[in-house]
Amino acid sequence: MGVIRKIKRNFADLFKKLFKKQNARIGIYGPPNAGKTTLANRILRDWTGDAMGSVSHIAHETRRARRREGVTIKTNGGSITLDIIDTPGLATKIDFHEFMEQGLDENESKRRAKEATEGVIEAVKWLDNLDGVILVMDATEDPFTQVNVTVIGNMEARSLPLLIVANKVDLPEASPSTIRDAFPQHPMVSISALEGKNIDTLYEEIAKRFG
Amino acid sequence: MQGFQMDLVSEHRLAEMTPVEKVRFIIDEVKEGKILVLEKGLSPEEEASLIEMTMTLIEPDGFSGIEMESYPGEVDTSIFGRLLKKNTLKTRMTVIGPADQLKTLRKDRNMISALISTQK
């Protein structure tokens, strides 16, 4: 991070503390198909009655960052208002052949791959503008991915709050304890964004972590 | 002789470069088909820059990106590290290569198992 950006962030932090800024910009990050948009939709439906975007089993369905401002979450511990940014799945590689394997034709696959690369660039840029991150991991997958390591490293280097969400615990092969063991230094909540399982615990933790 | 080139890059070599130079060096080498093993990994910001720049270079039927794996960073608990505060995250060894030639088979906190293919 450049010196000027650091100074700007320090001033922004000071300003926020002095004037008790109410909104926290929280990015929902994670690898493709971890359930980020499903979670964003769940949060919005529960607190605004609206939805963020469409979901698909094909990776990189979200190819542009989507932002919803002023989502107020009320819990027993109080309330918090968030600007929620649903980001495209971070990745270090994108191969259009993988879209073709999902049944898309070549032109559509190439177009989707191009958009996905632009989306990843946008998601990385957003890391500079956040107050905290909800990192969504698929509890049926290996948690030690480069994407997870990069996002966690960025938040730790910037001393920003991070909340890990172990998603898809409705699936029999889910192992949230593997995620907890992998990153014990950060709070984690296991949920099923699809079914809403344990979602109230997540809201409590969001209020505690980002409030 | 068919094969691949693996370069083991010392911490000292990378320390002489600026963050931009590091990212440029890695991408140039990987695009030539080399596998790099960095003695000391990149900072989280540098990793993010590497992902970002990689995405700008992806081409259909050409460069499909990188396979990059590193061990999770360790928090520097030394007095010096705690005094510096912002720089308490210690990076660890990293393996980087072309996505169509390098595939991570298994990874945990202390071991990376990778398959390197000579066929694209």
Side-chain angles (χ1 to χ4, degrees):
Chain A
M1 194 188 294
V3 175
I4 293 173
R5 201 181 292 170
K6 267 186 184 172
I7 293 170
K8 275 170 73 179
R9 177 174 286 284
N10 287 342
F11 267 113
D13 288 347
L14 181 66
F15 190 83
K16 192 172 151 185
K17 279 173 189 163
L18 283 174
F19 295 98
K20 289 190 182 299
K21 187 183 165 191
Q22 293 298 309
N23 282 32
R25 276 164 305 179
I26 304 301
I28 299 178
Y29 275 77
N33 276 348
K36 297 179 296 299
T37 301
T38 305
L39 175 60
N41 284 342
R42 168 72 59 181
I43 295 171
L44 287 187
R45 283 199 185 108
D46 283 353
W47 301 102
T48 71
D50 205 352
M52 186 75 95
S54 61
V55 294
S56 165
H57 68 285
I58 301 174
H60 298 287
E61 178 65 17
T62 302
R63 297 186 294 281
R64 304 295 304 180
R66 290 183 285 226
R67 178 177 180 170
R68 174 58 72 87
E69 296 180 359
V71 179
T72 301
I73 294 175
K74 291 179 180 165
T75 66
N76 289 336
S79 75
I80 176 173
T81 301
L82 307 173
D83 293 346
I84 293 176
I85 297 113
D86 179 26
T87 62
L90 274 188
T92 57
K93 57 196 168 194
I94 292 174
D95 184 349
F96 78 92
H97 293 99
E98 290 176 12
F99 296 119
M100 291 179 73
E101 286 167 13
Q102 298 288 331
L104 303 179
D105 67 36
E106 186 171 332
N107 286 339
E108 171 63 14
S109 296
K110 286 181 176 174
R111 187 182 66 80
R112 191 174 271 246
K114 186 174 182 302
E115 288 176 2
T117 57
E118 291 166 358
V120 174
I121 293 169
E122 195 180 11
V124 171
K125 287 191 191 304
W126 265 108
L127 278 171
D128 282 340
N129 297 303
L130 296 171
D131 299 310
V133 158
I134 295 173
L135 178 56
V136 183
M137 299 186 195
D138 183 337
T140 68
E141 299 281 337
D142 176 11
F144 285 106
T145 66
Q146 190 57 42
V147 167
N148 292 340
V149 169
T150 300
V151 173
I152 290 173
N154 264 275
M155 291 299 105
E156 288 176 348
R158 294 162 201 228
S159 301
L160 290 175
L162 170 80
L163 176 60
I164 295 174
V165 171
N167 191 26
K168 304 191 184 182
V169 295
D170 53 296
L171 299 177
E173 65 270 34
S175 176
S177 60
T178 306
I179 295 175
R180 192 184 297 280
D181 294 344
F183 305 107
Q185 72 273 35
H186 294 287
M188 188 205 85
V189 182
S190 335
I191 65 158
S192 165
L194 191 66
E195 296 182 354
K197 188 176 176 185
N198 219 20
I199 204 77
D200 288 337
T201 307
L202 174 64
Y203 294 142
E204 295 282 348
E205 199 60 43
I206 286 175
K208 195 160 77 179
R209 192 78 180 131
F210 304 118
Chain B
M1 186 177 76
Q2 202 176 24
F4 58 86
Q5 183 174 335
M6 178 183 282
D7 288 353
L8 310 179
V9 186
S10 72
E11 177 182 350
H12 182 72
R13 169 94 190 264
L14 279 185
E16 291 174 336
M17 300 180 190
T18 65
V20 174
E21 285 171 340
K22 280 185 210 174
V23 169
R24 194 71 250 181
F25 163 74
I26 290 166
I27 287 186
D28 287 348
E29 298 292 294
V30 170
K31 280 195 82 178
E32 283 184 22
K34 294 178 190 170
I35 312 286
L36 300 180
V37 179
L38 313 181
E39 183 187 17
K40 188 188 176 205
L42 302 171
S43 72
E45 289 92 346
E46 288 165 349
E47 284 184 345
S49 295
L50 180 59
I51 294 172
E52 190 178 338
M53 188 172 281
T54 298
M55 287 296 136
T56 66
L57 298 172
I58 287 178
E59 294 169 2
D61 296 320
F63 181 56
S64 62
I66 59 173
E67 181 83 9
M68 172 169 64
E69 289 296 353
S70 58
Y71 306 119
E74 287 184 333
V75 176
D76 184 356
T77 53
S78 66
I79 293 171
F80 188 65
R82 275 181 282 172
L83 279 174
L84 285 176
K85 252 184 160 182
K86 290 272 181 184
N87 298 315
T88 53
L89 193 71
K90 287 198 289 189
T91 53
R92 302 168 72 195
M93 195 176 78
T94 300
V95 184
I96 306 173
D100 56 356
Q101 282 178 275
L102 180 67
K103 185 175 188 298
T104 305
L105 297 177
R106 198 175 67 79
K107 181 187 169 189
D108 62 29
R109 185 170 286 280
N110 292 302
M111 180 169 160
I112 296 169
S113 177
L115 176 72
I116 301 168
S117 167
T118 54
Q119 291 181 327
K120 287 197 176 186

